[in-house]
Amino acid sequence: MKLVTRSLITLGSLVILSGCSTLSEQECVNADWYLIGLEDGSRGYSVSRIGSHREACAKYSVVPNIESYRSGLSEGYKTYCAEANGYNTGLTGATYQNVCSGQGADKFVQAYQHGRDLYRLRQALASLDQQISDSQNTIEQLNEDSALYEEQLIHHASAPSERQKLLNAIKDNEQEAATLAESMVYSERERAVLAQDLADMEAYHRQLGYQ
């Protein structure tokens, strides 16, 4: 069992390092298609993944052993389709490819959806935080620009046209900053609601035993 685990870890590392191709020449030539299927199954890939392996290995005149691959894939699904993994899979935002079946499938899908819901809520909150931060940074930049224009207006601008141009720029900055500040008030309110929703959802998931 330990040998299989070490093989899976090694294989997983090689797949990640192989770039666009799912398998390298060495992996194709020395392929243990059961282990490859086991690895793919534990990651939730569908059986169509074998097509990518076939394409990768065709360059080296290697044809996958589909029977061994399917056998490993089925065994890998036993690990992937665990309820706890369903929650963690949804929590990462990963796509579920409908590979689970049998008695555990419903529990997996339910757990996956719970994790997915929390993922989406966290993403929405993070996006709103970024929006608020961007608005604040823009307001600060507008104020800095206006301060610079005011300094130029006092110490450097002499021609009427130049002074009017600076005054217009300051006015535009003030209006834009005011609009952003007003928008931030609504964003902060929305953020407070989302933060409470997130806290409630996390508490509910703890009750369900997911966290």
Side-chain angles (χ1 to χ4, degrees), residues 129-204:
D129 281 340
Q130 186 62 56
Q131 178 183 325
I132 293 171
S133 177
D134 289 344
S135 294
Q136 185 61 51
N137 290 337
T138 301
I139 290 174
E140 291 176 359
Q141 186 61 56
L142 288 169
N143 290 337
E144 289 178 8
D145 291 345
S146 292
L148 180 61
Y149 297 153
E150 288 175 356
E151 183 180 352
Q152 293 175 354
L153 189 63
I154 295 172
H155 299 290
H156 304 290
S158 57
S161 59
E162 184 180 358
R163 293 178 64 83
Q164 189 60 52
K165 183 177 180 181
L166 290 170
L167 287 170
N168 289 340
I170 292 172
K171 182 179 179 181
D172 289 343
N173 284 355
E174 289 175 346
Q175 290 178 343
E176 184 176 354
T179 300
L180 286 172
E182 183 179 359
S183 177
M184 284 177 62
V185 171
Y186 293 100
S187 295
E188 291 286 0
R189 292 175 183 172
E190 183 180 357
R191 190 199 183 285
V193 173
L194 283 178
Q196 185 59 57
D197 289 345
L198 178 61
D200 292 343
M201 185 177 290
E202 289 176 337
Y204 176 56

Side-chain angles (χ1 to χ4, degrees), residues 110-139:
Q110 184 179 44
Y112 171 81
Q113 191 58 58
H114 281 306
R116 186 77 172 178
D117 289 343
L118 186 55
Y119 167 80
R120 288 172 175 167
L121 192 52
R122 286 176 174 174
Q123 289 294 105
L125 188 58
S127 177
L128 192 55
D129 281 340
Q130 186 62 56
Q131 178 183 325
I132 293 171
S133 177
D134 289 344
S135 294
Q136 185 61 51
N137 290 337
T138 301
I139 290 174

Side-chain angles (χ1 to χ4, degrees), residues 31-138:
D32 182 327
W33 290 104
Y34 175 84
L35 281 180
I36 294 174
L38 186 64
E39 173 71 14
D40 286 352
S42 69
R43 293 183 176 185
Y45 285 112
S46 69
V47 69
S48 63
R49 175 77 167 176
I50 190 67
S52 298
H53 295 325
R54 183 184 294 109
E55 182 179 352
C57 293
K59 295 179 290 186
Y60 314 113
S61 301
V62 175
V63 178
N65 185 320
I66 297 180
E67 184 177 348
S68 294
Y69 178 83
R70 283 181 176 272
S71 180
L73 194 72
S74 179
E75 189 65 27
Y77 287 158
K78 293 179 182 179
T79 299
Y80 176 79
C81 294
E83 183 178 2
N85 190 58
Y87 182 76
N88 291 330
T89 299
L91 202 57
T92 64
T95 301
Y96 170 53
Q97 299 189 35
N98 297 312
V99 298
C100 299
S101 59
Q103 293 181 340
D106 289 343
K107 289 184 177 180
F108 175 92
V109 172
Q110 184 179 44
Y112 171 81
Q113 191 58 58
H114 281 306
R116 186 77 172 178
D117 289 343
L118 186 55
Y119 167 80
R120 288 172 175 167
L121 192 52
R122 286 176 174 174
Q123 289 294 105
L125 188 58
S127 177
L128 192 55
D129 281 340
Q130 186 62 56
Q131 178 183 325
I132 293 171
S133 177
D134 289 344
S135 294
Q136 185 61 51
N137 290 337
T138 301

